């Protein structure tokens, strides 16, 4: 019997495929910057909802989708719930990859307080895109090393 794969290797490969944690999307600051006004705010609404789905897949937690947060819960709570939502999302991004230096303080510092200098939210968006893209790269590398170690 040539080229027979032992059963334990097949089981490890199947488990790795089922637990495959890869971000399916990339995030570009310039797309957010140009498409937000062109689509009258629909592009960031969709991309932030997809971002939440990617984070849910990576850390196996669940959050309220961004579109519900922005369109429904934001108005009902007079803007308080979106602040809490963004704080929690930024904490999750920082916990998934602590080396990217992203945390809830990034949100409060750049997006909230930085809005006083007008360019702060843009800096936050740039940092968010970089953190999400580095998070995707780190998780792709982890999956590749798991597949190699299974063999």
């Amino acid at each position: 019997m040539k080229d027979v794969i032992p059963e334990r290797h097949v089981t490890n490969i199947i488990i790795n495929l089922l637990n495959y944690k890869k971000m399916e999307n990339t995030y570009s600051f310039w797309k957010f910057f140009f498409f937000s006004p062109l689509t009258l705010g629909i592009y960031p609404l969709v991309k932030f909802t997809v971002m939440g789905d990617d984070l849910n897949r990576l850390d196996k937690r669940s959050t309220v989708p961004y579109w519900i947060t922005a369109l429904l819960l934001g108005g009902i709570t007079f803007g308080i719930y979106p602040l809490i939502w963004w704080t929690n999302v930024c904490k999750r991004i920082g916990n998934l990859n602590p080396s990217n230096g992203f945390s809830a303080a990034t949100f409060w510092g750049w997006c909230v307080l930085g809005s006083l200098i007008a360019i702060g939210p843009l800096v936050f968006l740039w940092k968010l895109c970089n953190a999400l893209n580095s998070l995707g790269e780190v998780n792709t590398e982890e999956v590749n090393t798991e597949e190699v170690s299974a063999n």
Side-chain angles (χ1 to χ4, degrees), residues 62-112:
S62 180
T63 63
V64 176
Y66 180 75
W67 68 270
I68 292 175
T69 300
L71 299 178
L72 300 176
L73 298 175
I76 293 171
T77 62
F78 302 107
I80 294 172
Y81 188 80
L83 294 174
I84 294 168
W85 189 89
W86 274 108
T87 301
N88 291 335
V89 164
C90 292
K91 281 184 200 174
R92 289 172 63 192
I93 293 170
N95 290 340
L96 285 169
N97 185 11
S99 65
N100 64 17
F102 202 79
S103 67
T106 307
F107 168 69
W108 285 100
W110 282 111
C111 196
V112 177

Side-chain angles (χ1 to χ4, degrees), residues 20-24 53-60:
Y20 189 63
K21 300 182 289 185
K22 180 180 182 281
M23 288 187 57
E24 297 174 353
D53 293 341
D54 280 344
L55 287 176
N56 290 343
R57 189 178 312 107
L58 289 175
D59 67 357
K60 294 186 173 91

Side-chain angles (χ1 to χ4, degrees), residues 16-29:
N16 285 338
L17 288 175
L18 291 175
N19 293 330
Y20 189 63
K21 300 182 289 185
K22 180 180 182 281
M23 288 187 57
E24 297 174 353
N25 302 290
T26 57
Y27 298 90
S28 169
F29 168 77

Side-chain angles (χ1 to χ4, degrees), residues 132-145:
L132 289 169
N133 289 333
S134 71
L135 188 62
E137 292 169 4
V138 166
N139 284 309
T140 303
E141 290 171 7
E142 286 177 6
V143 169
N144 290 339
T145 57

